[in-house]
Amino acid sequence: MVIHMKKTNMKGMKKLSITVTAVVAAAVMALAGCGSGSGSGSSSSDASDSGAKTTKFVLGGLWPETGSLAYLAPPELAAEKLAVKDINDAGGVLDSKVTTVDADTSDADHADQNTSAAQSVLSKNPSFIIGPASSSVVKNTYKSITSQNIPMLSMGATSAGFSGLSDYFFRTVAPDTVQGAVMGNLIAQDGVQKLAIAVFNDEYGTGLRDTVVKTASAAGVDIVYGEKDTFDPTETNFSSIATAIKASNPDATLVIAFDQTKPLLKALASAGVDTKKLYFVDGNTSDYSSELDAGLLEGSKGTIPGVNPSDDFVKRLESTGVDLKNTTTYGAETYDGIILAALAAQKGGSADGKTIQANMAAVSGADSGEKCDSYKACLALLKDGKDIQYQGQTGIGPFNKNNDPSSANIGVYTFDKDNKPVFDHTQSGDVPTD
């Protein structure tokens, strides 16, 4: 995962232009696999056969409010508030107001909190759960959620192993295989011949690393460090790693980590590694203006799955009163995930989990339908008995058979003299289902 900076500080932010091939998963951070069916045809019947029809839509939220991914919580929480407001202002779901129940999952280093947060939300009988953003946290929680026939959608879990994870697991972000392919091609196109990789031992980290290695190696790049080397996510002293990277004499270095990145960058600089020839991923493409000496990262590049939010959407997120802390990462993906679930309940005529699961693909456009770009507009079409294709903030394609977006975007950013990532260009690519 990674962070989108507010457009007031940068022109825009997000992804690359290269054909991408495989698919992904969240997040940073969690993993597993096995996919979802798409149709809306069975949804209503499933709900009525079970006798579970309900008009009360309870939205559960699992957020990284503490821990190494806490920087992602503000835009996600703002997106939740904005989505619920837009839904309720339009009349709610099945003429009832949406209510929410939230919990802090922290990060994968706090597995007990991952599970207790999930149980806390589940105890409130949610119709649908948005989050977690981390692949590793998803791995620790998805079984307890999906086993109760409650659909969940991750806005940031990019683990490639999550494609087809469960019929009840969805995501609005592309798998790491897509970002990894884009990054590998970017490195090769930049003329890098010898690449070092500093990566933490996490499913997100190693999975993304492996795709980059495969793509870059196929393009003739020599991996001089890090093809098998990793560091512990709890590591705080990176001097030996930085020394080893310097000794490998790379043309450039790829850093795959979360907030371990800050001390690692300082160690790399101290060891004499060229910090103007670094590559970052969504977990660490961030604003380092207050932590690093000016110009330290100038010219380095990063990739982020998803869209670069529009100025208007960022302003709407800010209007919720949540301090975004100059980050908009996964705000659009969170917002669209909630809107899609609400539309699925509306289409199926019930706010129970089975109905929502069975209609998610349909309202995303898997069965075609009339395009609409807001909950209010889509709701009006549904009430007229029409099929819809929600065109939201993310620009993703309809859910495929694995409950991944069928097409997705990867943004490429370049760091300026203030160590801030500035949007350069974006790439849309199809997400394979094999």
Side-chain angles (χ1 to χ4, degrees):
M1 351 170 127
V2 150
I3 56 188
H4 301 315
M5 312 306 295
K6 289 196 327 194
K7 289 176 98 177
T8 52
N9 292 329
M10 298 166 283
K11 273 192 163 173
M13 306 172 39
K14 233 144 178 122
K15 303 171 186 189
L16 168 64
S17 71
I18 301 168
T19 309
V20 293
T21 73
V23 166
V24 85
V28 97
M29 315 150 207
L31 170 104
C34 239
S36 122
S38 70
S40 64
S42 65
S43 72
S44 299
S45 59
D46 284 347
S48 58
D49 288 347
S50 68
K53 278 188 170 254
T54 177
T55 59
K56 188 63 175 176
F57 189 105
V58 179
L59 172 65
L62 295 175
W63 316 108
E65 297 180 67
T66 57
S68 62
L69 298 177
Y71 68 92
L72 292 174
E76 293 170 2
L77 287 165
E80 179 195 38
K81 286 190 173 185
L82 182 59
V84 171
K85 180 181 185 300
D86 287 349
I87 293 167
N88 288 341
D89 284 351
V93 176
L94 301 171
D95 300 319
S96 294
K97 298 289 187 182
V98 172
T99 60
T100 61
V101 53
D102 301 301
D104 173 19
T105 58
S106 190
D107 56 28
D109 292 330
H110 298 83
D112 289 347
Q113 188 167 341
N114 298 169
T115 55
S116 63
Q119 290 303 318
S120 174
V121 169
L122 287 170
S123 70
K124 304 300 182 181
N125 299 314
S127 306
F128 168 84
I129 290 178
I130 184 76
S134 159
S135 295
S136 295
V137 179
V138 167
K139 185 177 181 181
N140 291 338
T141 58
Y142 86 92
K143 287 184 180 179
S144 64
I145 297 169
T146 59
S147 64
Q148 296 190 38
N149 294 332
I150 296 172
M152 62 186 297
L153 184 146
S154 177
M155 70 297 281
T158 54
S159 169
F162 285 174
S163 296
L165 178 63
S166 163
D167 285 351
Y168 283 79
F169 177 77
F170 297 80
R171 55 187 167 186
T172 46
V173 67
D176 284 329
T177 45
V178 178
Q179 181 182 192
V182 168
M183 176 58 79
N185 283 321
L186 175 64
I187 289 168
Q189 289 181 351
D190 284 348
V192 174
Q193 296 182 334
K194 296 187 295 181
L195 177 71
I197 304 175
V199 57
F200 62 170
N201 189 13
D202 172 274
E203 286 171 295
Y204 159 74
T206 56
L208 185 52
R209 184 269 313 273
D210 292 347
T211 301
V212 173
V213 168
K214 179 180 179 181
T215 306
S217 296
V221 179
D222 183 19
I223 311 301
V224 296
Y225 177 88
E227 185 170 1
K228 299 296 181 183
D229 307 276
T230 61
F231 62 83
D232 192 284
T234 62
E235 183 62 71
T236 57
N237 187 340
F238 294 95
S239 59
S240 62
I241 295 172
T243 299
I245 289 175
K246 175 63 176 177
S248 70
N249 194 31
D251 298 327
T253 302
L254 168 65
V255 179
I256 304 177
F258 296 148
D259 59 359
Q260 304 91 344
T261 301
K262 296 173 187 177
L264 175 56
L265 290 177
K266 293 177 181 178
L268 290 173
S270 295
V273 174
D274 190 345
T275 57
K276 296 180 185 296
K277 293 183 179 179
L278 300 178
Y279 291 88
F280 298 81
V281 290
D282 61 324
N284 57 6
T285 298
S286 181
D287 180 352
Y288 295 100
S289 59
S290 63
E291 285 97 0
L292 303 175
D293 293 338
L296 190 72
L297 303 181
E298 186 175 7
S300 290
K301 297 180 180 180
T303 54
I304 300 176
V307 298
N308 182 45
S310 67
D311 287 335
D312 178 67
F313 184 66
V314 173
K315 289 177 181 177
R316 297 195 69 219
L317 290 177
E318 292 173 331
S319 73
T320 64
V322 175
D323 180 1
L324 299 182
K325 300 185 184 300
N326 202 36
T327 301
T328 58
T329 303
Y330 301 137
E333 288 74 16
T334 300
Y335 180 88
D336 280 356
I338 295 169
I339 297 296
L340 283 164
L343 290 171
Q346 185 71 41
K347 178 176 176 60
S350 178
D352 68 277
K354 286 187 176 181
T355 298
I356 294 171
Q357 184 277 337
N359 285 281
M360 286 285 283
V363 297
S364 75
D367 301 330
S368 296
E370 192 167 333
K371 294 181 179 180
C372 47
D373 63 3
S374 69
Y375 181 79
K376 183 177 181 179
C378 292
L379 179 63
L381 292 173
L382 288 174
K383 288 186 173 181
D384 285 343
K386 297 179 180 179
D387 290 329
I388 64 168
Q389 183 174 352
Y390 173 62
Q391 304 281 285
Q393 298 295 323
T394 57
I396 60 174
F399 291 119
N400 62 25
K401 68 180 182 180
N402 291 327
N403 291 346
D404 288 329
S406 55
S407 62
N409 306 292
I410 302 293
V412 176
Y413 301 78
T414 301
F415 283 84
D416 65 13
K417 62 182 178 59
D418 295 319
N419 301 319
K420 295 178 180 179
V422 178
F423 174 71
D424 186 89
H425 62 279
T426 189
Q427 168 65 28
S428 296
D430 293 335
V431 177
T433 55
D434 295 334

